[in-house]
């Protein structure tokens, strides 16, 4: 077996080598929806944008499933390799891949059966519903491919091939970006064309990811590696639950947020559709920054996991603190863009009337005011997952979304109306940051005392 460089290479070089492909993979995943929204906004209008927004929870649920299995199995692989147990690592990876396929197909079937009910639950208004039904009905067909691709990308990174992981995701995004304007503007397929372009891109990424099964470097698969095991599956899910629960929480936030905006928006001059469309654009613009932060977090995870398994605690601390530094740099750039150039960013997604831009700019500046800090919570959650402390990871993953944001979205509008929904974002971000710093400081102190 090849000796894994995670145990001896310099941390800055490892973080660069692993984080850049992870960032690209995370960006690509976000860009699927963002590219669709840009072209739909230009070709269909803000109702089309609103349709992609209320369909977006399908994507976050899909990502939750892929992270549950992908991060869970990749974390177990890293820990096993750090403990020099390649056979156990192969079983963890093989079982994870089988689980991705099973859950992907189950999700497709359930999603298609409950499509109309779920879209209404996600906040689709009467005008938006036909667009959302068409878009979500097609993109659901690509979800099994996306689950396997995203899950496999975590295993590929844990195997020491982050660039190949990036290539898989990038190839699909390029296809989607090329086909979107062709299908929407040349073929005049509108929102149907955007959805079809997305699925075709996901299929290409899936093919490239599956191809890697024959090229793993640090583990060797046997036929019994792919034998489904309930015990193995439960262990995998326990390791991936923190990252997955964060996405599940985001789904609940989206549902509460969209319904709150339409309810309180109806009581203002903005109406129901403007807040819904503006919210999605702001959230997806922020998703670019979050994708970079998530990429850094995912890139550092195998580094932390391997060295924690090998009991090289100084390297664990160095990796975490270096990742935090770069997260803060990226978040600071995002803060400056959101506060100084909100209208320019929003304009990329199509035109609207003065009320639309007024609310969208207000939403971006207020809701994302604490964007500088929310990357710390995301990285800290991944940190605890990487070292095998899944419950703490899950706790941190849920703090911002479930413990702080959802209650604030429900309570603050009672006093401040629709502005209360906007204020909920920065308050939740700051609260989650404080808790993250506290828990990680305690853990790093324990590791220092154990040396």
């Amino acid at each position: 077996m090849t000796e894994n460089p995670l145990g001896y290479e310099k941390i800055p070089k490892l973080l660069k080598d692993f984080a850049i492909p992870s960032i690209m993979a995370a960006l690509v995943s976000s860009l699927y929806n963002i590219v669709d929204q840009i072209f739909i906004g230009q070709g269909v209008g803000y109702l089309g944008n609103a349709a992609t927004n209320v369909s977006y929870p399908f994507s976050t649920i899909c990502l939750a499933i892929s992270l549950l299995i992908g991060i869970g199995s990749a974390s177990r692989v890293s820990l096993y390799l750090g403990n020099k147990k390649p056979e156990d690592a192969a079983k963890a990876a093989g079982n994870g891949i089988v689980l991705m396929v099973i859950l992907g197909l189950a999700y497709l079937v359930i999603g298609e059966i409950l499509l109309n009910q779920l879209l209404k639950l996600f906040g689709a208004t009467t005008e938006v519903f036909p667009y959302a039904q068409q878009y979500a009905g097609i993109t659901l067909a690509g979800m099994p491919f996306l689950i396997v691709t995203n899950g496999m990308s975590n295993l590929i990174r844990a195997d020491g091939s982050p660039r190949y992981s990036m290539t898989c995701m990038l190839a699909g995004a390029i296809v989607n970006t090329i086909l979107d304007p062709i299908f929407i503007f040349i073929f005049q397929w509108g929102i149907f064309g955007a959805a079809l372009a997305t699925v075709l891109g996901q299929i290409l990424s899936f093919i490239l990811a599956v191809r890697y099964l024959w090229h793993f470097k640090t583990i060797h698969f046997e036929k019994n590696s792919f034998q489904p095991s309930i015990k193995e599956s439960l262990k995998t899910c326990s390791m991936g639950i923190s990252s997955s629960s964060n996405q599940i929480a985001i789904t609940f936030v989206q549902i509460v947020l969209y319904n709150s905006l339409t309810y309180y928006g109806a009581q203002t001059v903005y109406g129901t559709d403007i807040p819904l469309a503006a919210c999605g654009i702001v959230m997806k613009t922020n998703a670019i920054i979050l994708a970079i932060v998530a990429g850094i977090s995912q890139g550092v995870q195998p580094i932390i996991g391997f060295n924690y398994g090998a009991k090289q605690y100084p390297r664990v601390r160095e990796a975490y603190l270096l990742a935090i530094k770069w997260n803060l740099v990226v978040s600071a750039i995002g803060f400056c863009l959101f506060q100084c150039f909100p209208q320019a960013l929003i304009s990329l997604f199509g035109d609207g009337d003065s009320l639309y831009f007024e609310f969208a700019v207000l939403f971006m500046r207020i809701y994302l005011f604490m964007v500088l800090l929310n990357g710390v919570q995301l990285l800290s959650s991944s940190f605890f997952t990487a070292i095998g402390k899944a419950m703490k990871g899950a706790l941190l993953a849920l703090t911002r979304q479930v413990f702080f944001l959802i209650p604030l979205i429900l309570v603050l509008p009672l006093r401040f109306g629709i502005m209360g929904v906007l204020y909920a974002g920065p308050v939740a971000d700051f609260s989650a940051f404080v808790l993250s710093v506290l828990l990680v400081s305690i853990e790093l102190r324990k590791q220092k005392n154990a040396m």
Side-chain angles (χ1 to χ4, degrees):
M1 289 291 175
T2 305
E3 187 178 357
N4 199 315
L6 292 171
Y8 63 83
E9 187 63 79
K10 291 183 178 179
I11 296 296
K13 184 179 186 304
L14 283 174
L15 184 59
K16 182 190 73 172
D17 291 346
F18 277 76
I20 291 177
S22 298
I23 288 169
M24 293 300 296
L27 274 174
V28 166
S29 183
S30 295
L31 286 173
Y32 269 112
N33 287 283
I34 292 170
V35 167
D36 278 356
Q37 188 138 24
I38 290 174
F39 286 117
I40 288 171
Q42 301 291 340
V44 180
Y46 77 88
L47 286 178
N49 273 334
T52 63
N53 297 338
V54 297
S55 302
Y56 196 55
F58 285 113
S59 296
T60 55
I61 295 170
C62 173
L63 185 56
I65 296 171
S66 62
L67 289 175
L68 178 70
I69 311 304
I71 292 289
S73 53
S75 297
R76 294 186 65 220
V77 166
S78 295
L79 288 169
Y80 279 135
L81 291 176
N83 284 318
K84 302 188 184 304
K85 296 179 179 179
E87 295 84 5
D88 289 334
K91 288 181 180 179
N95 185 78
I97 293 167
V98 173
L99 205 54
M100 294 171 204
V101 174
I102 293 172
L103 293 182
L105 293 173
Y107 181 53
L108 169 61
V109 173
I110 294 171
E112 292 288 0
I113 292 173
L114 300 177
L115 178 62
N116 292 348
Q117 295 92 323
L118 289 172
L119 285 175
K120 291 175 182 176
L121 176 65
F122 296 161
T125 62
T126 303
E127 289 190 68
V128 170
F129 184 83
Y131 296 99
Q133 186 182 44
Q134 188 175 32
Y135 183 80
I138 297 167
T139 53
L140 271 170
M143 296 301 175
F145 300 107
L146 188 58
I147 286 172
V148 174
T149 302
N150 283 339
M152 280 289 298
S153 69
N154 289 285
L155 291 173
I156 293 169
R157 284 195 295 270
D159 188 55
S161 299
R163 290 186 180 179
Y164 189 87
S165 171
M166 174 186 69
T167 301
C168 294
M169 302 297 293
L170 192 58
I174 291 172
V175 168
N176 181 44
T177 303
I178 293 172
L179 293 180
D180 256 338
I182 295 174
F183 289 171
I184 294 173
F185 300 112
I186 297 177
F187 292 175
Q188 296 291 308
W189 287 350
I191 205 164
F192 166 81
L196 181 60
T198 296
V199 174
L200 292 176
Q202 290 166 347
I203 291 174
L204 176 60
S205 293
F206 166 81
I207 292 171
L208 293 175
V210 171
R211 176 181 173 272
Y212 192 81
L213 283 173
W214 290 269
H215 300 279
F216 271 88
K217 297 179 295 187
T218 58
I219 56 179
H220 176 69
F221 289 113
E222 301 288 347
K223 184 177 290 187
N224 63 357
S225 300
F226 298 97
Q227 184 175 345
S229 166
I230 295 178
K231 182 179 179 181
E232 288 288 331
S233 298
L234 290 174
K235 289 180 180 179
T236 294
C237 291
S238 70
M239 292 292 283
I241 191 64
S242 64
S243 298
S244 177
S245 59
N246 188 50
Q247 289 299 315
I248 294 171
I250 288 173
T251 303
F252 282 113
V253 168
Q254 289 168 339
I255 295 171
V256 174
L257 185 59
Y258 293 162
N259 282 282
S260 295
L261 285 170
T262 54
Y263 177 78
Y264 290 103
Q267 303 171 20
T268 69
V269 294
Y270 303 117
T272 58
D273 294 327
I274 284 178
L276 193 60
C279 172
I281 289 172
V282 170
M283 300 295 279
K284 289 180 182 178
T285 305
N286 184 42
I288 297 175
I289 300 298
L290 287 178
I292 300 174
V293 170
I296 295 172
S297 300
Q298 291 178 19
V300 79
Q301 194 161 8
I303 304 171
I304 290 174
F306 185 95
N307 286 284
Y308 186 84
K311 294 182 171 55
Q312 299 189 69
Y313 300 132
R315 289 174 62 82
V316 172
R317 179 187 180 89
E318 182 185 357
Y320 173 79
L321 294 178
L322 185 61
I324 283 288
K325 183 185 81 171
W326 284 111
N327 271 352
L328 291 174
V329 170
V330 171
S331 298
I333 294 171
F335 176 82
C336 293
L337 291 173
F338 298 148
Q339 297 303 315
C340 299
F341 309 104
Q343 185 149 344
L345 293 173
I346 293 162
S347 297
L348 293 173
F349 296 88
D351 295 326
D353 58 25
S354 58
L355 281 176
Y356 167 73
F357 278 107
E358 177 185 311
F359 184 80
V361 168
L362 199 63
F363 196 112
M364 181 170 283
R365 282 181 168 156
I366 296 176
Y367 193 82
L368 302 181
F369 187 74
M370 284 290 176
V371 70
L372 182 65
L373 303 179
N374 62 14
V376 175
Q377 176 257 341
L378 184 62
L379 176 59
S380 299
S381 174
S382 296
F383 168 79
F384 282 110
T385 298
I387 63 174
K389 298 187 177 182
M391 290 305 296
K392 283 188 177 179
L395 172 65
L396 279 184
L398 294 172
T399 51
R400 179 187 184 271
Q401 314 293 354
V402 175
F403 301 146
F404 298 131
L405 187 55
I406 290 178
L408 287 167
I409 290 174
L410 295 174
V411 172
L412 290 182
L414 298 176
R415 172 66 177 85
F416 300 104
I418 197 168
M419 294 302 297
V421 180
L422 277 57
Y423 296 147
V427 176
D429 287 336
F430 182 76
S431 302
F433 166 77
V434 172
L435 183 60
S436 299
V437 170
L438 177 63
L439 291 180
V440 172
S441 298
I442 293 171
E443 176 60 35
L444 291 178
R445 195 175 299 118
K446 287 180 181 178
Q447 291 182 17
K448 186 176 181 180
N449 294 335
M451 290 189 299

